[in-house]
Amino acid sequence: MTLKDMLIGCLIMAAVTYVTKAISLLLFRKEIKNTFVQSFLYYIPYSVLAVMVFPDIFFSTASIWSGIIGTAVALILSFFRRSLLVVSLASIAAVYLAELIIPLL
């Protein structure tokens, strides 16, 4: 992923976050009581970020298998509610080890 791609991704994420907050402020004058609308507006930025990042996870390494292993480690640790730092470091370590082992196979 190049710097240009990262900047474009950040701009898209900022725009999506701003638009969802602005729409809720402009369209709804009163407090939103509908839990569906609240959760929709809350999770839109996260889902857009996930959609933008997820495909690059697999293809940012030398082998798709190391990307799959890193993703699996991240999902498992996230499921058990580990901190973001632990998930990130463990995923990086898993990808690194997979990159070392895969050429030996």
Side-chain angles (χ1 to χ4, degrees):
M1 183 179 269
T2 64
L3 179 62
K4 180 182 175 184
D5 293 337
M6 285 189 261
L7 290 175
I8 290 172
C10 287
L11 288 174
I12 292 171
M13 187 62 199
V16 168
T17 303
Y18 177 75
V19 167
T20 56
K21 302 297 180 187
I23 287 174
S24 64
L25 286 173
L26 292 173
L27 295 180
F28 304 107
R29 300 284 181 199
K30 300 177 186 174
E31 181 181 350
I32 300 171
K33 297 192 190 287
N34 188 331
T35 56
F36 176 76
V37 174
Q38 282 181 335
S39 64
F40 178 78
L41 291 173
Y42 181 78
Y43 287 112
I44 281 287
Y46 299 112
S47 60
V48 170
L49 180 62
V51 167
M52 289 174 18
V53 171
F54 197 75
D56 283 337
I57 291 171
F58 298 116
F59 301 109
S60 63
T61 61
S63 169
I64 193 169
W65 295 108
S66 60
I68 292 170
I69 290 168
T71 303
V73 168
L75 289 174
I76 291 167
L77 291 175
S78 297
F79 179 77
F80 289 110
R81 301 208 180 263
R82 300 295 178 232
S83 70
L84 181 60
L85 182 64
V86 170
V87 171
S88 299
L89 293 176
S91 298
I92 291 168
V95 169
Y96 179 73
L97 291 173
E99 291 288 332
L100 290 176
I101 294 171
I102 287 174
L104 301 176
L105 298 178

